[in-house]
Amino acid sequence: MATVVAGSRGAVQEVVLVSEGASASLRLWRVRPWNPSPLMRVSDRVEIVVRALAVVAVAVAVPVSGAIGTVSYTGAVARIAAQDAGKEHVDATLTGDVQRLPAADRYGVHQDRYQAPAAWSHDGHTVTATIDVPGPQAAGATVPLWIGGDGNPSAAPARPGAAAAEGIGTGLAVLVESWCAAAASVWITGTALEARRNSKLEREWLLLNRPIGKDTL
């Protein structure tokens, strides 16, 4: 109980805020799972424990997902560096006619591919192979090409920030999945316990409510 001696609007507001804070703390204390009150059902205690564990899991998921994202970023940096080691950008010269190869992408959309024999220089040697070209080209045309340390055609190096994007994506995925799992646990537990409580109340009501026409004086 709080008492205001000299009335002022600011003082009254302060007392109200303190009372509300104390009331919230008191309500939280009353719903503790180990409350000896016989009015608190076992299902209520279980639901409170599950919600408390979910809150802890949500809080713990933040640093855990950050750590996992950091590990993923470190691994991506090492992997990308190993994959891109020795790659070189060269100009390849087409030595034959371009061939059109009808193909479909993973979505089933028709998309033509073009290939042609080409030659390029690597470590003082001439390397020849059939490569993909961006479109119809005449023999003798020059096309850009990425090659690996062995001189054979290779994929282009990873874009700057690819490792960071992978690390952030992994961390966010772990965080969202953890939060969704915590929310699902609370919802499933609450739904199951509510159904159990309703079923119990219905049985008790049937026991208390006498069938019509069978009342006795």
Side-chain angles (χ1 to χ4, degrees):
M1 179 181 296
T3 304
V4 179
V5 178
S8 70
R9 186 174 181 180
V12 172
Q13 290 178 348
E14 183 178 356
V15 171
V16 171
L17 291 176
V18 172
S19 300
E20 290 179 352
S23 178
S25 301
L26 183 60
R27 287 197 298 269
L28 289 176
W29 176 250
R30 286 176 178 175
V31 298
R32 65 192 187 278
W34 58 89
N35 190 335
S37 173
L39 299 178
M40 180 175 286
R41 299 166 294 189
V42 175
S43 60
D44 296 330
R45 302 177 192 274
V46 172
E47 190 170 2
I48 292 171
V49 169
V50 171
R51 291 185 177 184
L53 292 176
V55 172
V56 173
V58 167
V60 172
V62 176
V64 170
S65 61
I68 294 176
T70 302
V71 173
S72 176
Y73 165 75
T74 304
V77 169
R79 187 185 70 255
I80 291 174
Q83 292 175 349
D84 293 345
K87 287 187 177 181
E88 181 182 356
H89 188 266
V90 299
D91 291 327
T93 302
L94 303 184
T95 59
D97 296 332
V98 175
Q99 294 183 353
R100 182 170 64 90
L101 304 176
D105 60 13
R106 59 180 179 176
Y107 301 106
V109 179
H110 181 76
Q111 185 176 8
D112 291 336
R113 291 179 55 199
Y114 297 90
Q115 288 186 339
W120 59 92
S121 178
H122 174 69
D123 289 341
H125 301 283
T126 299
V127 182
T128 60
T130 300
I131 63 173
D132 291 333
V133 295
Q137 303 278 343
T142 300
V143 295
L145 179 68
W146 282 99
I147 60 175
D150 56 358
N152 293 320
S154 176
R159 294 174 297 177
E166 183 174 336
I168 293 173
T170 302
L172 287 178
V174 172
L175 182 63
V176 171
E177 290 176 1
S178 300
W179 286 358
C180 289
S185 300
V186 172
W187 182 80
I188 292 174
T189 302
T191 301
L193 292 178
E194 185 65 21
R196 180 177 180 275
R197 287 192 290 260
N198 292 337
S199 178
K200 183 178 180 181
L201 288 174
E202 185 176 357
R203 290 195 303 269
E204 293 177 352
W205 174 254
L206 292 176
L207 292 175
L208 293 175
N209 188 24
R210 297 177 180 178
I212 298 176
K214 295 186 178 181
D215 295 338
T216 58
L217 297 177

